[in-house]
Amino acid sequence: MLAKEVKDPFDDKGWLYEIKWDGYRAIAEVNKGAIKFYSRNGLNFSGTYSLITNELKKFSADVVVDGEIVVLNEEGLPSFQLLQYYNTDPNHPIKFYVFDLLHLNGHDTYSLPLLDRKKLLKEVIPQSEVIVYSDHVEEEGKAFFNISKERNLEGIMAKKCDSQYYVGRRTKEWLKIKHNQTTEAIIAGFTSPTGARQYFGALILATKDGDAYTYIGHTGSGFNTNSLKAMWNLLQPLITDEGPFKERIKTNTPVTWVKVELVCEIKFTEKTKDGKLRHPIFLHLREDKKPKEVKTEKVTKTNKALPETAETKNSNTYTFGSSKVITSNPNKIYFPDDDVSKKDVIEYYISVSDYILPYLKGRPESLLRNPGGINDKGFFHKDAGDSAPAFVKSQKLFSDSVKKDIDYIICDNQATLTYMNNLGCIEINPWHSTLKKIDYPDYFIIDIDPSDKNTFNQVVEVALATKQVLDRAGAECYCKTSGSSGLHIYIPAGKKYTYDQGKDFSLIICTFVQEMLPAFTTLERNLKKRGDQHIYLDYLQNRKGQTISSVYSLRPKRGATVSTPLLWKEVNSELDPKKYTIHNTVARIQKTGDIFSGIFNKGISINKCLKNLGY
């Protein structure tokens, strides 16, 4: 369960207030002595934090608990920096502060009021110096916030006393209230851009200590296309051959140095021991300040964790860093039979953004829009147009189908994803290739597309036959539900082959499958010619500009289903694609992790595969 951010603390008898811990969010499962300990995105913590794992064995009950891994500094305060380097410097106390109980002795506790869950948690939590109950105060949020500020904590959490636990959802029943820090910095240079970004990658930041300049970090955050260009224009006349630092600055891309004349204001979360800014974000230039006024300050120990990217200000406006997306008609019902609204769709994509964005970044998008909901026929929209906000990146590409350039939206961030959702994009459809190598897809796709007369068991049989052929070829492959009636099989290609090569290879695989299952499979695309009792083995998905619903994408189908990655052992007669929905996808990912990322592996060798198949 996730919290929405608000600016100001408040007092309320119906709310309780906890410390907002500066660490890693974690779920612990204790089941008959067996321990699972993992992060929000499914990363296994058991080996990394073995001290906590061993202490979890002290639970006498079977439980699932929610909490935060924290390392304390010399003052007994949480330090994210110490947590980051805990494996190399484990000499500070580590704690697992537990604040919620999700399961107890075979019974889910999600629907119990929060206060009741915490009472049960306090009763079952073991005596331990490491596993610690995260206590709370009731009603007096303002005073508690002021105390947290005085003690240099990150902030507080405000939670409704009767709130249920909504797995993977960000709701107004849990709120986070944080302290922010800003500082002035001198702009000493800029790095080269990468990918689709224009003008520059990041600003090199400095302060002045006497006559010497001190490097304090670099930031590429806080800009849109317009502000990138404006800053670029300001920097061009200032370009110089040498930087101001005596030390060598490490960056991922080459640095262009500038004369130290510009001062800016930076928001950050923490200063490290050596004075570097953690998570710096550009706010604006300080034209009223001269570089000589920006002195190196004594580093104070602050303990602020990275803010979650998505901060919901109200029901219509979502803020992502410096970008705001104002949504319209949030209460419009998109899925009438399932009572799922436009707002639910938007917040689903916010909750899975960490998982879906790696499959969207750098890729042109074909927007399938259903602004009237799933009963609306919908339409495709490809051109970004003049109405797209500045934070939306786009790229003009020639379209063979319409014989003209199209300014495709590139979905590189949460703000763009939410903008697309607000347009009515329930389904997200990225290209198979990125702008870096637009003619060379990352993967090939075989779309197992049944007719109305086929059973899903037949679809499963075709998928397993396809895997059998690919195994014989020595080709790695991954399976996901389509979110509808079919299955999609992905073959990593590693940007080594053209679309035509991928299409031809997929045709060969499909030909083998069709020969294995001739009774109910076909390579005939035309529905009338193939009949209504044949599953179409669609290899033509492997064409430039062709798109298919992304992994973790909602589909505009009854049930609010999600295109969900599967373990091959799950592809069996018991598989029901309708059970993967907007309501349970996040919880599944938290348990399984992202099991689809292998599609970005180095890719198959077509020659070796063909040789293995007898070609």
Side-chain angles (χ1 to χ4, degrees):
M1 183 166 173
L2 304 174
K4 297 188 177 184
E5 183 164 356
V6 296
K7 183 178 180 181
D8 299 315
F10 57 92
D11 294 337
D12 195 304
K13 292 181 179 180
W15 290 69
L16 61 82
Y17 305 90
E18 300 169 337
I19 292 172
K20 188 177 191 310
W21 297 108
D22 189 10
Y24 291 143
R25 183 84 174 271
I27 295 289
E29 299 183 14
V30 181
N31 184 12
K32 296 179 174 57
I35 306 297
K36 291 183 179 179
F37 192 40
Y38 50 89
S39 69
R40 272 180 55 191
N41 58 3
L43 181 66
N44 187 356
F45 280 154
S46 297
T48 309
Y49 304 107
S50 56
L51 181 60
I52 296 176
T53 306
N54 291 332
E55 289 291 303
L56 287 169
K57 296 176 182 177
K58 292 183 177 180
F59 272 98
S60 59
D62 289 345
V63 298
V64 178
V65 295
D66 193 352
E68 195 98 1
I69 303 169
V70 171
V71 172
L72 304 179
N73 62 17
E74 292 81 358
E75 300 173 359
L77 297 173
S79 170
F80 195 90
Q81 185 186 14
L82 292 176
L83 176 60
Q84 280 187 310
Y85 296 103
Y86 180 75
N87 284 335
T88 56
D89 181 19
N91 298 316
H92 293 82
I94 189 168
K95 307 284 184 182
F96 181 42
Y97 286 102
V98 183
F99 49 73
D100 214 327
L101 177 70
L102 315 184
H103 186 90
L104 177 62
N105 290 331
H107 300 282
D108 289 336
T109 56
Y110 302 134
S111 59
L112 293 177
L114 174 60
L115 272 180
D116 290 349
R117 298 199 305 273
K118 295 203 71 170
K119 287 176 183 176
L120 289 171
L121 174 62
K122 197 169 186 179
E123 291 175 7
V124 300
I125 204 162
Q127 286 291 114
S128 172
E129 293 293 322
V130 176
I131 313 297
V132 183
Y133 173 73
S134 184
D135 214 335
H136 62 270
V137 301
E138 296 180 37
E139 187 176 346
E140 298 182 4
K142 292 180 181 179
F144 191 57
F145 181 80
N146 289 334
I147 291 171
S148 77
K149 193 171 184 178
E150 290 170 6
R151 297 186 181 179
N152 212 18
L153 295 169
E154 184 187 6
I156 66 172
M157 300 294 300
K159 301 178 180 180
K160 287 189 71 174
C161 294
D162 61 354
S163 61
Q164 298 181 29
Y165 192 99
Y166 299 100
V167 177
R169 298 284 298 278
R170 192 182 301 277
T171 82
K172 290 183 178 179
E173 295 188 357
W174 283 18
L175 305 173
K176 52 187 175 184
I177 310 166
K178 301 185 298 183
H179 318 299
N180 285 320
Q181 297 189 89
T182 63
T183 189
E184 292 150 13
I186 302 164
I187 299 174
F190 58 92
T191 64
S192 301
T194 60
R197 189 179 177 104
Q198 295 179 304
Y199 304 110
F200 64 90
L203 298 178
I204 305 298
L205 305 175
T207 57
K208 197 171 184 184
D209 190 5
D211 293 328
Y213 290 91
T214 302
Y215 170 69
I216 58 172
H218 58 272
T219 181
S221 300
F223 295 95
N224 56 35
T225 302
N226 291 336
S227 57
L228 276 172
K229 184 177 181 180
M231 178 61 72
W232 167 262
N233 290 336
L234 286 173
L235 294 172
Q236 294 311 294
L238 303 179
I239 290 176
T240 185
D241 292 333
E242 295 183 2
F245 307 113
K246 294 180 180 179
E247 63 184 306
R248 184 178 179 181
I249 306 304
K250 294 182 179 179
T251 58
N252 294 327
T253 58
V255 175
T256 300
W257 300 109
V258 297
K259 298 175 184 177
V260 286
E261 295 183 11
L262 298 178
V263 175
C264 61
E265 188 160 358
I266 299 293
K267 182 171 73 171
F268 64 100
T269 56
E270 182 179 354
K271 284 186 179 178
T272 62
K273 289 181 179 179
D274 58 355
K276 304 294 189 298
L277 302 181
R278 186 165 169 265
H279 308 122
I281 298 173
F282 176 86
L283 294 178
H284 49 76
L285 288 171
R286 287 294 302 265
E287 297 178 355
D288 58 328
K289 293 282 185 179
K290 301 295 182 184
K292 63 181 181 182
E293 300 177 68
V294 183
K295 307 293 184 182
T296 301
E297 300 175 356
K298 182 179 179 181
V299 178
T300 58
K301 294 183 178 180
T302 61
N303 299 283
K304 301 177 184 296
L306 174 66
E308 293 187 39
T309 313
E311 303 167 346
T312 306
K313 298 295 185 182
N314 55 53
S315 61
N316 292 326
T317 304
Y318 296 86
T319 303
F320 310 93
S322 61
S323 303
K324 288 187 178 182
V325 183
I326 300 175
T327 62
S328 58
N329 302 316
N331 297 320
K332 186 177 186 61
I333 299 299
Y334 269 6
F335 296 79
D337 294 338
D338 306 285
D339 196 28
V340 172
S341 68
K342 180 178 183 178
K343 183 177 180 180
D344 293 328
V345 169
I346 290 170
E347 297 195 348
Y348 164 77
Y349 277 109
I350 290 174
S351 70
V352 298
S353 59
D354 287 346
Y355 310 113
I356 195 173
L357 279 172
Y359 299 92
L360 307 181
K361 287 183 177 179
R363 300 177 191 276
E365 300 290 331
S366 293
L367 309 187
L368 174 57
R369 296 176 57 183
N370 295 84
I374 68 170
N375 292 336
D376 175 13
K377 185 178 179 181
F379 58 94
F380 273 98
H381 166 197
K382 295 184 179 181
D383 206 299
D386 296 332
S387 60
F391 59 77
V392 174
K393 297 179 183 178
S394 62
Q395 178 67 45
K396 286 188 177 181
L397 297 169
F398 183 77
S399 170
D400 290 327
S401 60
V402 296
K403 305 300 180 185
K404 68 174 184 178
D405 284 339
I406 292 177
D407 193 19
Y408 284 94
I409 285 177
I410 311 297
C411 187
D412 277 358
N413 50 57
Q414 284 186 328
T416 301
L417 182 56
T418 301
Y419 167 74
M420 289 161 53
N421 297 150
N422 187 54
L423 292 177
C425 292
I426 298 171
E427 178 178 311
I428 308 299
N429 293 274
W431 278 33
H432 309 338
S433 56
T434 64
L435 295 176
K436 289 183 179 179
K437 293 190 77 173
I438 199 66
D439 294 317
Y440 296 85
D442 289 277
Y443 40 77
F444 309 145
I445 297 175
I446 294 175
D447 179 8
I448 302 172
D449 183 15
S451 68
D452 294 339
K453 296 292 180 66
N454 291 116
T455 67
F456 193 72
N457 278 342
Q458 289 177 320
V459 173
V460 168
E461 190 174 351
V462 173
L464 294 176
T466 305
K467 186 177 190 302
Q468 184 178 338
V469 174
L470 289 167
D471 285 347
R472 184 152 40 110
E476 188 180 9
C477 60
Y478 297 82
C479 186
K480 71 178 179 72
T481 68
S482 68
S484 184
S485 57
L487 291 172
H488 298 156
I489 296 178
Y490 281 55
I491 305 162
K495 300 182 186 292
K496 294 184 292 186
Y497 303 101
T498 65
Y499 277 96
D500 283 342
Q501 288 172 309
K503 175 168 59 68
D504 292 345
F505 176 75
S506 299
L507 171 58
I508 291 170
I509 300 300
C510 290
T511 301
F512 273 93
V513 175
Q514 202 276 327
E515 289 174 352
M516 293 171 65
L517 301 171
F520 56 87
T521 63
T522 181
L523 297 173
E524 176 56 58
R525 184 177 181 84
N526 187 292
L527 183 59
K528 291 182 179 179
K529 291 182 180 179
R530 77 185 193 219
D532 60 1
Q533 294 183 344
H534 286 79
I535 293 173
Y536 174 46
L537 302 174
D538 188 356
Y539 61 92
L540 293 175
Q541 291 291 348
N542 301 287
R543 294 180 295 181
K544 185 177 179 180
Q546 190 77 20
T547 60
I548 203 166
S549 56
S550 170
V551 65
Y552 307 123
S553 171
L554 276 165
R555 297 296 305 278
K557 305 289 183 181
R558 186 176 179 181
T561 52
V562 172
S563 183
T564 303
L566 301 167
L567 298 169
W568 274 109
K569 66 182 181 181
E570 296 176 301
V571 185
N572 56 45
S573 60
E574 297 180 359
L575 177 60
D576 179 6
K578 294 180 181 178
K579 76 176 185 179
Y580 303 110
T581 72
I582 191 174
H583 304 296
N584 56 25
T585 294
V586 175
R588 172 180 166 84
I589 303 171
Q590 287 175 339
K591 288 192 175 182
T592 65
D594 182 8
I595 60 176
F596 211 62
S597 59
I599 67 169
F600 297 128
N601 287 346
K602 66 178 183 179
I604 64 169
S605 165
I606 286 182
N607 286 339
K608 288 182 180 179
C609 288
L610 295 180
K611 184 177 180 180
N612 291 338
L613 291 173
Y615 277 74

